[in-house]
Amino acid sequence: MDTSSPRVGSSPLAGRLTGLGTTVFAEMSALALRTGAINLGQGFPDTDGPPQIIEAAVKALRNGRNQYAPGSGAPELRQAVADHQQRFYDMTVDPDTEVLVTTGATEAVAAALLSLVDPGDEVIALEPYYDSYAAGIAMAGGTRVPVTLRAPDFRLDIDALRAAVTPRTRLLLVNSPHNPTGTVLDETELQAVAAVACEHDLLVVTDEVYEHLTYDGVTHRPLATYDGMRDRTLTISSAGKTFSFTGWKIGWVVGPERLVRAVMTAKQFLTFTSGAPLQPAIAAALALGDDYYTKFRTTLEAKRDRLCAGLGAAGFDVFAPQGTYFVTTDIRPLGYDDGMAFCLSLPERCGVVAIPHEVFYDDKLAGRALVRWAFCKRDEVLDEAIERLGQLRS
Ligand SMILES: Cc1ncc(COP(=O)(O)O)c(C=O)c1O
């Protein structure tokens, strides 16, 4: 080996990926495994989705659905996605040209950014942002421009959004219901986003993976349904969150043909296609009756209430979310102010894992004292975590 080469020994990472490191979710889940702590960090349910959907996947495995699915996705899944958009949002979508099945929402976001963003283009994203957004923008060579949702109410600052737009802005990357804050953008905010996009002729990518998880009567309305938005918007969702099959990694993009075709250009060389036998099963899942969706929502709402009450009793300042399966707390009432240090020591101290908000920010200070907890866990697991957190006060 030629050790005199400057490439040996120095970081092999391409410059545009510098600073991305290991995703915090993997890091914290590994910490949970190592310490035997309860994992309220990574957002995955600890129970499986509907058994009949698992059976549908088994049937597909046994019935020859084991070779490459079509690049744009199994026809019945594309049809089911189109039917879902019609059923819940009154959106008419052509399953053949306006739907693309992806390897989870993560690939959908990455492929959208890779196909629509040129080096030097600016992408405005709501901060705190889901960590794959920063990676996707970096891989595309774009520049991230955050618009911060601030505690305690985490609403969209419409003036800040307007001020963030420059002649280099190419795309708005929106996420509602929003991870990690739980904000569901309201009518006024969505209209403002639509107005900014239309005024400046921007493309919009909207991550709506928590579309069926909204609480207290708050409803989700896709940005693509607003005036002037349909032709400039890619809507992303995923079966992982709605049907509790996060490991299946079946997601999709819905949008106008020219944008979907652009995403396909990148997607075909990332994975081409994946999860062939799982795709027909998710088609069946999307067609489940309203009772499934209602029960899923009310079950998670009760878990939200359970964990929020427990975190409050443990001494945190709790920001109850309107959507998603995450709750944010401020740790300062307990005498701490550094969320990262708090989360790194929490497994040893009381056997619970959570995620420090600061990993979701460019403006680290804005999230320094905030910590995110996932409540998509069995009640007894939440109760045990709450009991353990009770030690923090003593
Ligand atoms: C906002 C958001 N987008 C995308 C994803 C990833 O979805 P998938 O597992 O389908 O790739 C997640 C998962 O936590 C998320 O919270």
Side-chain angles (χ1 to χ4, degrees), residues 43 103-106 130 133 175 179 207 209-210 238 241 246 249 326:
T103 306
T106 307
Y130 180 60
Y133 299 172
N175 170 217
N179 174 12
D207 176 345
V209 296
Y210 299 102
S238 164
K241 309 296 173 178
T246 57
K249 296 293 281 187
F326 304 109

Side-chain angles (χ1 to χ4, degrees), residues 322-382:
Q322 297 176 303
T324 76
Y325 41 50
F326 304 109
V327 50
T328 293
T329 55
D330 193 319
I331 57 177
R332 283 173 293 193
L334 281 163
Y336 306 93
D337 63 2
D338 180 343
M340 180 61 89
F342 177 84
C343 288
L344 286 173
S345 67
L346 198 59
E348 303 284 359
R349 288 233 314 283
C350 55
V352 179
V353 163
I355 301 285
H357 254 238
E358 73 163 65
V359 300
F360 304 116
Y361 290 78
D362 284 345
D363 177 5
K364 301 281 177 215
L365 267 185
R368 191 162 187 269
L370 303 177
V371 167
R372 189 198 82 171
W373 314 80
F375 53 83
C376 47
K377 309 291 174 183
R378 282 167 293 138
D379 288 349
E380 57 271 30
V381 173
L382 295 177

Side-chain angles (χ1 to χ4, degrees), residues 262-284:
V263 179
M264 179 69 174
T265 306
K267 188 257 182 304
Q268 66 189 336
F269 298 117
L270 293 173
T271 55
F272 175 50
T273 181
S274 62
L278 306 177
Q279 293 191 22
I282 295 301

